[in-house]
Amino acid sequence: MSGAQTQQFDYVIVGAGSAGCLIARYLALHTDATIALVEAGPSTGDIRTSVPVYYLRLYGSQFDWGFATVPQPQLAGRRINWPRGKLVGGCGATNAMIYLLPHELARQRPTWNDDKFTAECPFSDLPLGRLQQLQLASEHFLEVAEQIGWTRQATWASATPGTCGPFTLTQNADGSRAHVGQSIASQTNNASDRLSIFAGHEALLIHTDSGAGRDWRVRSVLTRDRSGVEHRFFAGTEVIVACGAIGSPALLLASGLGESLRPIGCHLQDHLVYPIIYQHKTLPAFPRRFGTRIRDAFRRGKPSPMHSN
């Protein structure tokens, strides 16, 4: 660590997922602070992070942390995959692009402010759309939901009980994926001299000063880049850990802060991936391969199975 390269910023943000990009954008646009946004993965993805239908191919790739649960007794000892995005944009660059507003109960809390959420949330200006080509099986599902009394909506983003509809998606006009990592640089262009994005820097430890008990502050972050070189980012104001429900507690524990911050990781939430595969005797199957006609339609922005999540 003594040979680590050092840099000084006002704020150091660890993790360039949706939360990290939001915080970086807010600080860049509303303060004069210098900001380091540190991300373990690369700055961009490849065709799989652009074409919606390919998102399942990202699991276990270089853009996924590759987490899984411990063996589950209720599943005969099987593990459940727990994909987490590993690039600028985080899971927004690798997931199924489903856009959901906070639940109504959360928005009823006294601390909630709709105007502030809209103004400061990076998703408020992400391109939104709906499935350009609804699969026949999905259409039948929605018809049955209506038959049992659910209210169908043109696009479904509210998570309101008793409603259904095609998901609202974070999708560009041409059908490609939209995520906050794509726009963080352009949105903060006027602050480009103050916001620095360090992709390929995996955080190893966060360092505190020598305060006793809880009377201490985090002062710096130690990272290692893809070449194996260590870097230490000092924060004059604050270090912000935004590594997700798994990564944030893991980094704090690795840094020896488990006892000081107990119960560490409490109330952080995430979801696993457990696919359900079924066969139907009459409904057409989703295509396994995409021929020239389908690929050409996608390139022209016309509805095609490749737009589907």
Side-chain angles (χ1 to χ4, degrees):
M1 186 177 68
S2 59
Q5 300 182 16
T6 62
Q7 296 189 62
Q8 177 79 38
F9 294 87
D10 294 319
Y11 292 90
V12 178
I13 304 170
V14 187
S18 297
C21 287
L22 161 63
I23 298 167
R25 186 182 86 156
Y26 181 85
L27 291 172
L29 295 179
H30 298 283
T31 75
D32 293 325
T34 56
I35 308 127
L37 181 58
V38 179
E39 167 58 40
S43 57
T44 58
D46 58 21
I47 189 172
R48 293 169 295 177
T49 60
S50 176
V51 179
V53 77
Y54 289 154
Y55 83 94
L56 289 174
R57 301 183 183 182
L58 293 166
Y59 297 166
S61 72
Q62 71 269 38
F63 306 118
D64 177 24
W65 282 96
F67 296 134
T69 68
V70 297
Q72 301 295 302
Q74 296 85 354
L75 296 175
R78 287 174 291 179
R79 298 172 181 265
I80 303 177
N81 290 330
W82 201 338
R84 297 285 82 196
K86 189 179 182 181
L87 72 163
V88 172
C91 293
T94 62
N95 61 19
M97 311 185 309
I98 296 171
Y99 175 89
L100 285 177
L101 292 170
H103 193 276
E104 182 179 348
L105 293 177
R107 302 176 75 177
Q108 291 174 355
R109 294 173 181 170
T111 55
W112 186 265
N113 184 311
D114 271 336
D115 293 336
K116 189 174 183 181
F117 174 81
T118 301
E120 298 177 7
C121 180
F123 306 119
S124 62
D125 50 19
L126 272 179
L128 299 178
R130 55 167 291 176
L131 285 172
Q132 296 193 19
Q133 189 175 60
L134 194 63
Q135 300 301 310
L136 189 56
S138 300
E139 186 60 53
H140 286 337
F141 178 90
L142 294 174
E143 289 175 359
V144 172
E146 287 186 280
Q147 291 172 11
I148 63 174
W150 288 25
T151 301
R152 180 164 177 171
Q153 300 175 336
T155 56
W156 193 82
S158 62
T160 302
T163 63
C164 64
F167 281 123
T168 301
L169 305 178
T170 53
Q171 198 165 25
N172 294 307
D174 63 0
S176 63
R177 173 191 299 275
H179 65 86
V180 66
Q182 296 169 328
S183 56
I184 181 67
S186 60
Q187 289 174 339
T188 57
N189 187 51
N190 293 334
S192 58
D193 59 328
R194 294 185 289 104
L195 172 61
S196 301
I197 301 175
F198 296 90
H201 281 249
E202 184 169 358
L204 305 177
L205 297 169
I206 56 178
H207 296 282
T208 67
D209 58 19
S210 56
R214 287 182 175 266
D215 187 23
W216 48 263
R217 288 182 62 85
V218 174
R219 295 301 183 187
S220 66
V221 179
L222 180 69
T223 72
R224 181 182 294 123
D225 66 23
R226 285 189 288 261
S227 300
V229 178
E230 292 187 350
H231 302 255
R232 192 169 180 182
F233 297 90
F234 286 88
T237 302
E238 192 171 2
V239 171
I240 300 169
V241 179
C243 306
I246 301 176
S248 291
L251 179 59
L252 296 173
L253 287 169
S255 303
L257 299 177
E259 290 297 321
S260 301
L261 299 175
R262 293 181 68 182
I264 196 167
C266 185
H267 304 305
L268 295 179
Q269 299 181 14
D270 210 335
H271 61 275
L272 308 175
V273 171
Y274 193 78
I276 299 175
I277 301 173
Y278 61 91
Q279 288 184 324
H280 195 282
K281 293 182 179 179
T282 59
L283 290 177
F286 192 83
R288 292 179 176 270
R289 298 180 181 276
F290 305 111
T292 302
R293 180 178 60 83
I294 293 177
R295 293 197 301 269
D296 286 346
F298 177 81
R299 283 193 288 265
R300 296 196 305 270
K302 303 296 183 181
S304 80
M306 296 181 73
H307 291 94
S308 175
N309 64 342

